[in-house]
Amino acid sequence: MADKQPTREELLLDWFIGDAKDIMAELTEVKESVQQVHKTQQEESAASVAALKELNQQAVSSQRELARVAKEGAQQIEVATNAAATHLKKASAATHRRIAAVAFFAAAVGALIGACVAMLGFMLIAPL
C-alpha cells in the first residue's frame, strides 16, 4: 500500500502545482526586474529634471546678462551721440564765428578801399 500508484488526477494536480510554482518563480523574477527598471527610470528622471532645471537657470541668467549688456550698450550709444552732438555744435559755432570774422574783415577792407578810392577821387577832382 505504501507504493500505491498515483492516480491520473493526482499526477495532473502535481504537474499543475509544479508548473504553477515555476510560473510564480518566473513572475517573481520578472516583478523584481520590473521594479529595478522602474527604480532606475525614476533615478534617471530625477537626474534629467535636475539637469533641465540647471539649464533653465543658465538660460535665464544668460538672458538677463544679455538684457543688461544691451541696456548698457544703448546707454553708451546715447552718451556717445550726445557727446558727438555737443562737439558738432561747438565746431559749428566756431565755424560761424570764423565766417563772421572773415566777412567782417572783408567788409572792413572793402570799406577802406572804398574810402581810399573816394579820397583819391576827391584829391584828383579837388585841384581842378
Side-chain angles (χ1 to χ4, degrees), residues 87-111:
H87 180 69
L88 183 61
K89 286 178 186 177
K90 288 180 181 179
S92 177
T95 303
H96 286 129
R97 282 192 301 271
R98 286 187 184 134
I99 291 172
V102 169
F104 177 74
F105 181 71
V109 169

Side-chain angles (χ1 to χ4, degrees), residues 21-119:
K21 286 181 182 177
D22 291 342
I23 291 171
M24 284 301 291
E26 286 181 32
L27 284 176
T28 303
E29 290 175 12
V30 169
K31 180 182 173 185
E32 290 172 0
S33 176
V34 167
Q35 286 174 339
Q36 183 62 32
V37 168
H38 180 54
K39 181 181 176 184
T40 303
Q41 285 180 338
Q42 283 181 330
E43 291 171 356
E44 289 175 358
S45 176
S48 296
V49 167
L52 287 174
K53 283 182 181 179
E54 182 179 340
L55 289 174
N56 186 36
Q57 289 174 348
Q58 289 176 356
V60 168
S61 296
S62 296
Q63 190 276 334
R64 287 180 181 158
E65 179 69 17
L66 181 62
R68 185 189 61 77
V69 168
K71 183 179 178 182
E72 287 178 1
Q75 289 172 346
Q76 290 175 353
I77 289 171
E78 184 178 349
V79 168
T81 302
N82 291 340
T86 303
H87 180 69
L88 183 61
K89 286 178 186 177
K90 288 180 181 179
S92 177
T95 303
H96 286 129
R97 282 192 301 271
R98 286 187 184 134
I99 291 172
V102 169
F104 177 74
F105 181 71
V109 169
L112 183 62
I113 291 173
C116 288
V117 169
M119 289 173 77

